[in-house]
Amino acid sequence: MLHARGIAAVMIDLDGTLLDTVPDLAAASARMLSALGLVAHSQDEIRSFVGKGIPHLVKRCLEASTAAASAEVPQDGALQAKALALFQAFYFEESGRRASVYPGVTEGLEQLRAMRLRLACVTNKAARFTVPLLEQKGLAPYFELVVSGDTLARKKPDPMQLTHICAQFALAPGQALLIGDSVNDTLAARAAGCPVMCVSYGYNEGGDVHNLDCDAIVGSLTEAANILQSARS
């Protein structure tokens, strides 16, 4: 059960929580795989690959495509490196073209800011993609702090990003709520000692969000903000 009364900060995941970025990721993936002579994947397949950052996404794409290829394609370090470089180049062009802000996100952020809660975005996406995307979608001004996948030595599901944010805000972990969409978020939050909510509409690598170890499941950021507001009343 979520004890929301003492929450002083909210940390929010990006992909699958703030933004639906799968269309952009799928476009970059299709271009990457085409350049390698491999089979592309549907948006639903890409959605199930999202969760641990771009290198993991590229690895999953390669595994699925080479498994479907008629000829044996060696899974070696050189192929991984080439694929990753291609994906990053294509994604830099595609990022933001089709991504959309989920319903209730802007309104929820406004509510959280009106409650004077400190806000941070925490994502496994590299900063070179994260910051421009937040700016392009008009979300950057809401966040006092952005911690990307390459900001620190480790990323979710490791708790390092969350403990870093708590230290920057001079708060105990129990005062900083994480809102995410996947097992990586819940594992990181539990390891850091932070409460965690999960949105019902995210990715979670194709798994059921109801199976996650979270304190609450919400249908939108506005619902999350209403829960926190009610705890203050």
Coordinates of all heavy atoms in Angstrom, one line a residue, residues 1 21 29 33 40 53 68-69 71 78 82 94 123 130 140 147 150 206 215 220 226-227 229:
M1 N 0.8 -1.2 0.0 CA 0.0 0.0 0.0 C 0.9 1.2 0.0 O 1.9 1.3 0.7 CB -0.9 0.0 1.2 CG -1.8 1.2 1.3 SD -2.9 1.2 2.7 CE -4.0 -0.1 2.2
T21 N 6.9 6.3 -27.3 CA 8.0 6.4 -28.3 C 8.2 5.3 -29.2 O 9.1 5.3 -30.1 CB 9.3 6.7 -27.5 OG1 9.5 5.6 -26.6 CG2 9.3 8.0 -26.7
S29 N 14.4 1.1 -35.9 CA 14.7 -0.3 -36.0 C 14.6 -0.9 -37.4 O 15.4 -1.6 -37.9 CB 13.8 -1.1 -35.0 OG 13.9 -2.5 -35.2
L33 N 17.6 -2.6 -39.5 CA 17.5 -4.0 -40.0 C 17.6 -4.0 -41.5 O 18.2 -5.0 -42.1 CB 16.3 -4.6 -39.4 CG 16.3 -4.8 -37.9 CD1 14.9 -5.2 -37.4 CD2 17.3 -5.9 -37.5
A40 N 12.4 -6.7 -40.6 CA 12.0 -5.8 -39.6 C 10.9 -6.3 -38.7 O 10.4 -7.4 -39.0 CB 11.5 -4.5 -40.3
G53 N 17.0 0.1 -22.2 CA 17.8 1.0 -23.0 C 18.0 0.6 -24.4 O 17.6 -0.6 -24.8
A68 N 14.7 -15.4 -37.4 CA 13.7 -15.6 -38.5 C 14.4 -15.7 -39.9 O 13.7 -16.0 -40.9 CB 12.8 -14.4 -38.5
A69 N 15.7 -15.4 -39.9 CA 16.4 -15.4 -41.2 C 16.6 -16.8 -41.7 O 16.8 -17.7 -41.0 CB 17.8 -14.7 -41.1
A71 N 19.0 -17.9 -43.6 CA 20.4 -18.3 -43.5 C 20.9 -17.9 -42.1 O 20.4 -17.0 -41.5 CB 21.3 -17.6 -44.5
A78 N 31.0 -7.7 -33.5 CA 31.0 -6.7 -34.6 C 29.7 -6.4 -35.1 O 29.4 -5.2 -35.4 CB 31.9 -7.3 -35.7
K82 N 27.9 -2.7 -35.0 CA 27.5 -2.0 -36.3 C 26.0 -1.7 -36.2 O 25.6 -0.6 -36.6 CB 27.7 -3.0 -37.5 CG 27.3 -2.4 -38.8 CD 27.6 -3.4 -39.9 CE 27.2 -2.8 -41.3 NZ 27.5 -3.7 -42.4
E94 N 14.8 10.0 -36.3 CA 13.4 9.6 -36.1 C 12.8 10.1 -34.8 O 11.6 10.3 -34.7 CB 13.3 8.1 -36.2 CG 13.7 7.5 -37.6 CD 12.8 7.9 -38.7 OE1 11.7 8.4 -38.5 OE2 13.2 7.6 -39.9
T123 N 15.4 7.9 -16.8 CA 15.2 7.0 -18.0 C 16.4 6.3 -18.3 O 17.5 6.7 -18.0 CB 14.7 7.8 -19.2 OG1 14.6 7.0 -20.3 CG2 15.7 8.9 -19.5
T130 N 17.3 11.9 -24.8 CA 16.3 12.2 -23.8 C 16.0 13.7 -23.8 O 14.8 14.1 -23.8 CB 16.8 11.8 -22.4 OG1 17.0 10.4 -22.4 CG2 15.8 12.2 -21.3
A140 N 10.2 19.4 -20.9 CA 11.4 19.7 -20.2 C 11.2 20.7 -19.1 O 11.9 20.6 -18.0 CB 12.5 20.2 -21.2
V147 N 17.8 12.5 -15.3 CA 18.8 11.5 -15.1 C 18.6 10.4 -16.2 O 17.6 9.7 -16.2 CB 18.8 10.8 -13.8 CG1 19.9 9.7 -13.7 CG2 19.1 11.9 -12.7
D150 N 22.9 7.2 -19.5 CA 24.4 7.4 -19.5 C 24.8 8.5 -18.5 O 26.0 8.9 -18.6 CB 24.9 7.6 -20.9 CG 24.2 8.8 -21.6 OD1 23.3 9.4 -21.0 OD2 24.6 9.1 -22.7
G206 N 6.3 -6.4 -22.6 CA 5.2 -7.3 -23.0 C 4.5 -8.0 -21.9 O 3.6 -8.8 -22.1
D215 N 3.2 -0.3 -5.6 CA 2.3 0.2 -4.5 C 1.0 0.6 -5.0 O 0.0 0.6 -4.3 CB 3.0 1.3 -3.7 CG 4.3 0.9 -3.1 OD1 4.3 0.0 -2.2 OD2 5.3 1.5 -3.4
S220 N -3.3 7.1 -15.3 CA -2.8 8.3 -15.9 C -2.0 9.1 -14.8 O -2.1 8.7 -13.6 CB -3.9 9.3 -16.4 OG -4.7 9.7 -15.3
N226 N -3.8 13.0 -8.2 CA -5.0 13.0 -7.4 C -4.8 12.2 -6.1 O -5.2 12.6 -5.0 CB -6.2 12.5 -8.1 CG -6.7 13.5 -9.2 OD1 -6.4 14.7 -9.2 ND2 -7.4 13.0 -10.2
I227 N -4.1 11.1 -6.2 CA -3.8 10.2 -5.0 C -2.9 11.0 -4.1 O -3.2 11.0 -2.9 CB -3.2 8.9 -5.5 CG1 -4.2 8.0 -6.2 CG2 -2.6 8.2 -4.3 CD1 -3.6 6.8 -6.8
Q229 N -2.6 14.2 -3.9 CA -3.3 15.4 -3.4 C -4.3 15.0 -2.3 O -4.4 15.6 -1.2 CB -4.1 16.1 -4.5 CG -4.8 17.3 -4.1 CD -3.9 18.4 -3.6 OE1 -3.1 18.9 -4.4 NE2 -4.0 18.8 -2.3

